[in-house]
PDB file of all heavy atoms in Angstrom:
ATOM      1  N   LYS A  89      69.744 -16.685  32.706  1.00 93.00           N
ATOM      2  CA  LYS A  89      71.082 -16.113  32.915  1.00 93.00           C
ATOM      3  C   LYS A  89      71.587 -16.320  34.343  1.00 93.00           C
ATOM      4  O   LYS A  89      72.668 -15.852  34.684  1.00 93.00           O
ATOM      5  CB  LYS A  89      71.063 -14.615  32.610  1.00 93.00           C
ATOM      6  CG  LYS A  89      70.855 -14.284  31.169  1.00 93.00           C
ATOM      7  CD  LYS A  89      70.826 -12.775  30.982  1.00 93.00           C
ATOM      8  CE  LYS A  89      70.636 -12.403  29.532  1.00 93.00           C
ATOM      9  NZ  LYS A  89      70.576 -10.928  29.373  1.00 93.00           N
ATOM     10  N   LEU A  90      70.779 -16.970  35.174  1.00 90.00           N
ATOM     11  CA  LEU A  90      71.089 -17.170  36.592  1.00 90.00           C
ATOM     12  C   LEU A  90      71.259 -15.839  37.325  1.00 90.00           C
ATOM     13  O   LEU A  90      72.007 -15.736  38.290  1.00 90.00           O
ATOM     14  CB  LEU A  90      72.332 -18.047  36.775  1.00 90.00           C
ATOM     15  CG  LEU A  90      72.255 -19.450  36.183  1.00 90.00           C
ATOM     16  CD1 LEU A  90      73.571 -20.192  36.396  1.00 90.00           C
ATOM     17  CD2 LEU A  90      71.094 -20.229  36.774  1.00 90.00           C
ATOM     18  N   ASP A  91      70.541 -14.829  36.863  1.00 91.00           N
ATOM     19  CA  ASP A  91      70.531 -13.521  37.526  1.00 91.00           C
ATOM     20  C   ASP A  91      69.370 -13.542  38.514  1.00 91.00           C
ATOM     21  O   ASP A  91      68.248 -13.149  38.203  1.00 91.00           O
ATOM     22  CB  ASP A  91      70.364 -12.405  36.495  1.00 91.00           C
ATOM     23  CG  ASP A  91      70.445 -11.023  37.114  1.00 91.00           C
ATOM     24  OD1 ASP A  91      70.311 -10.902  38.361  1.00 91.00           O
ATOM     25  OD2 ASP A  91      70.634 -10.056  36.346  1.00 91.00           O
ATOM     26  N   PHE A  92      69.659 -14.029  39.711  1.00 87.00           N
ATOM     27  CA  PHE A  92      68.598 -14.266  40.687  1.00 87.00           C
ATOM     28  C   PHE A  92      68.005 -12.980  41.242  1.00 87.00           C
ATOM     29  O   PHE A  92      66.847 -12.966  41.656  1.00 87.00           O
ATOM     30  CB  PHE A  92      69.110 -15.182  41.794  1.00 87.00           C
ATOM     31  CG  PHE A  92      69.539 -16.518  41.267  1.00 87.00           C
ATOM     32  CD1 PHE A  92      70.842 -16.954  41.378  1.00 87.00           C
ATOM     33  CD2 PHE A  92      68.637 -17.346  40.617  1.00 87.00           C
ATOM     34  CE1 PHE A  92      71.234 -18.171  40.864  1.00 87.00           C
ATOM     35  CE2 PHE A  92      69.009 -18.570  40.101  1.00 87.00           C
ATOM     36  CZ  PHE A  92      70.319 -18.987  40.223  1.00 87.00           C
ATOM     37  N   VAL A  93      68.759 -11.913  41.239  1.00 88.00           N
ATOM     38  CA  VAL A  93      68.216 -10.626  41.685  1.00 88.00           C
ATOM     39  C   VAL A  93      67.167 -10.149  40.678  1.00 88.00           C
ATOM     40  O   VAL A  93      66.042  -9.817  41.050  1.00 88.00           O
ATOM     41  CB  VAL A  93      69.340  -9.584  41.876  1.00 88.00           C
ATOM     42  CG1 VAL A  93      68.759  -8.209  42.149  1.00 88.00           C
ATOM     43  CG2 VAL A  93      70.266 -10.010  43.013  1.00 88.00           C
ATOM     44  N   ALA A  94      67.526 -10.129  39.397  1.00 92.00           N
ATOM     45  CA  ALA A  94      66.583  -9.703  38.364  1.00 92.00           C
ATOM     46  C   ALA A  94      65.401 -10.667  38.268  1.00 92.00           C
ATOM     47  O   ALA A  94      64.260 -10.242  38.045  1.00 92.00           O
ATOM     48  CB  ALA A  94      67.287  -9.588  37.015  1.00 92.00           C
ATOM     49  N   SER A  95      65.658 -11.950  38.451  1.00 92.00           N
ATOM     50  CA  SER A  95      64.596 -12.942  38.386  1.00 92.00           C
ATOM     51  C   SER A  95      63.567 -12.730  39.493  1.00 92.00           C
ATOM     52  O   SER A  95      62.361 -12.702  39.245  1.00 92.00           O
ATOM     53  CB  SER A  95      65.192 -14.346  38.477  1.00 92.00           C
ATOM     54  OG  SER A  95      64.173 -15.313  38.421  1.00 92.00           O
ATOM     55  N   SER A  96      64.043 -12.560  40.717  1.00 90.00           N
ATOM     56  CA  SER A  96      63.102 -12.363  41.822  1.00 90.00           C
ATOM     57  C   SER A  96      62.400 -11.011  41.699  1.00 90.00           C
ATOM     58  O   SER A  96      61.234 -10.887  42.065  1.00 90.00           O
ATOM     59  CB  SER A  96      63.797 -12.507  43.176  1.00 90.00           C
ATOM     60  OG  SER A  96      64.824 -11.572  43.328  1.00 90.00           O
ATOM     61  N   GLN A  97      63.079 -10.006  41.141  1.00 92.00           N
ATOM     62  CA  GLN A  97      62.442  -8.700  40.929  1.00 92.00           C
ATOM     63  C   GLN A  97      61.315  -8.813  39.899  1.00 92.00           C
ATOM     64  O   GLN A  97      60.229  -8.280  40.104  1.00 92.00           O
ATOM     65  CB  GLN A  97      63.470  -7.658  40.486  1.00 92.00           C
ATOM     66  CG  GLN A  97      62.899  -6.269  40.315  1.00 92.00           C
ATOM     67  CD  GLN A  97      62.394  -5.675  41.615  1.00 92.00           C
ATOM     68  OE1 GLN A  97      63.005  -5.823  42.663  1.00 92.00           O
ATOM     69  NE2 GLN A  97      61.260  -4.998  41.558  1.00 92.00           N
TER      70      GLN A  97
END
Side-chain angles (χ1 to χ4, degrees):
K89 292 179 179 179
L90 300 178
D91 184 343
F92 299 118
V93 172
S95 180
S96 60
Q97 183 65 40

